Amino acid sequence: MRIERVVINASPLITLFRAGLHPLLPQLFPELVVPTAVWDEVVSITHDDLAARGLPQANWAQQRETKESPDVAAWVLGAGETAVLSFAQHHRDFTACVDDREARRCAAVLGLSMIGTAGVVVLARRRGLIDSTEAALRRLQAVGLWISEPLIAKLAQADTRGTWHTH
């Protein structure tokens, strides 16, 4: 199934902006929702940050209020993760973009479609929007996204072989 509708959390937004990879988002996803809790987290960063400046200017990002899901609230996640997963639970045609391990566990338990920041990069490579998965992952790593070396190696190797496994 092609991922086109995404609800995104703060961490993927911030790291993609910082790495200069945020233009991939509207190219990959015709509909991208940023829950108000996430929007507020990103734009209220007290220091001068690329994401804080860029998100309000991004006409491709749709800010939306989110009704908290009791199923998600039971996981006691952060406000952003709770909003993203609640939105995804109420709108099953959306894929949740989250990196937090516990949020990903919650999404899996609730049967929600999800993708992480590294998955966004892989998708961009598959769709021919970037030339190198490894180079993009290194840019994300340089701006603070934790990505293990074995994962980078695995994704880079698949990139050079042109072999991708879909789940």
Side-chain angles (χ1 to χ4, degrees):
M1 174 172 33
R2 188 172 170 97
I3 301 171
E4 294 194 344
R5 304 176 92 196
V6 169
V7 55
I8 193 166
N9 195 29
S11 173
L13 274 173
I14 291 167
T15 55
L16 288 165
F17 266 99
R18 287 180 181 168
L21 296 170
H22 61 284
L24 294 173
L25 292 171
Q27 295 176 61
L28 290 169
F29 313 118
E31 194 166 354
L32 191 130
V33 168
V34 181
T36 299
V38 171
W39 190 283
D40 291 346
E41 182 180 341
V42 172
V43 301
S44 70
I45 294 174
T46 55
H47 59 283
D48 193 22
D49 184 88
L50 291 170
R53 288 192 315 266
L55 184 58
Q57 309 305 317
N59 62 358
W60 42 264
Q62 304 170 34
Q63 182 181 2
R64 295 240 193 109
E65 288 293 331
T66 305
K67 183 178 184 227
E68 188 175 282
S69 160
D71 294 337
V72 176
W75 283 75
V76 193
L77 303 169
E81 289 89 356
T82 298
V84 167
L85 297 180
S86 292
F87 187 92
Q89 188 176 39
H90 293 303
H91 303 88
R92 291 290 183 153
D93 54 336
F94 276 79
T95 297
C97 185
V98 292
D99 288 330
D100 177 79
R101 179 178 291 158
E102 204 58 21
R104 294 174 70 81
R105 282 190 191 131
C106 174
V109 167
L110 297 178
L112 304 176
S113 174
M114 72 180 137
I115 190 170
T117 305
V120 169
V121 168
V122 168
L123 193 57
R125 176 69 180 113
R126 286 182 186 172
R127 293 188 187 171
L129 300 175
I130 59 173
D131 294 327
S132 168
T133 301
E134 182 176 5
L137 292 174
R138 294 285 179 203
R139 284 169 66 180
L140 289 164
Q141 192 178 46
V143 299
L145 183 67
W146 187 88
I147 306 172
S148 71
E149 289 302 321
L151 180 59
I152 290 174
K154 180 180 178 180
L155 296 175
Q157 186 178 22
D159 190 1
T160 59
R161 281 199 242 136
T163 58
W164 297 102
H165 302 284
T166 56
H167 302 285

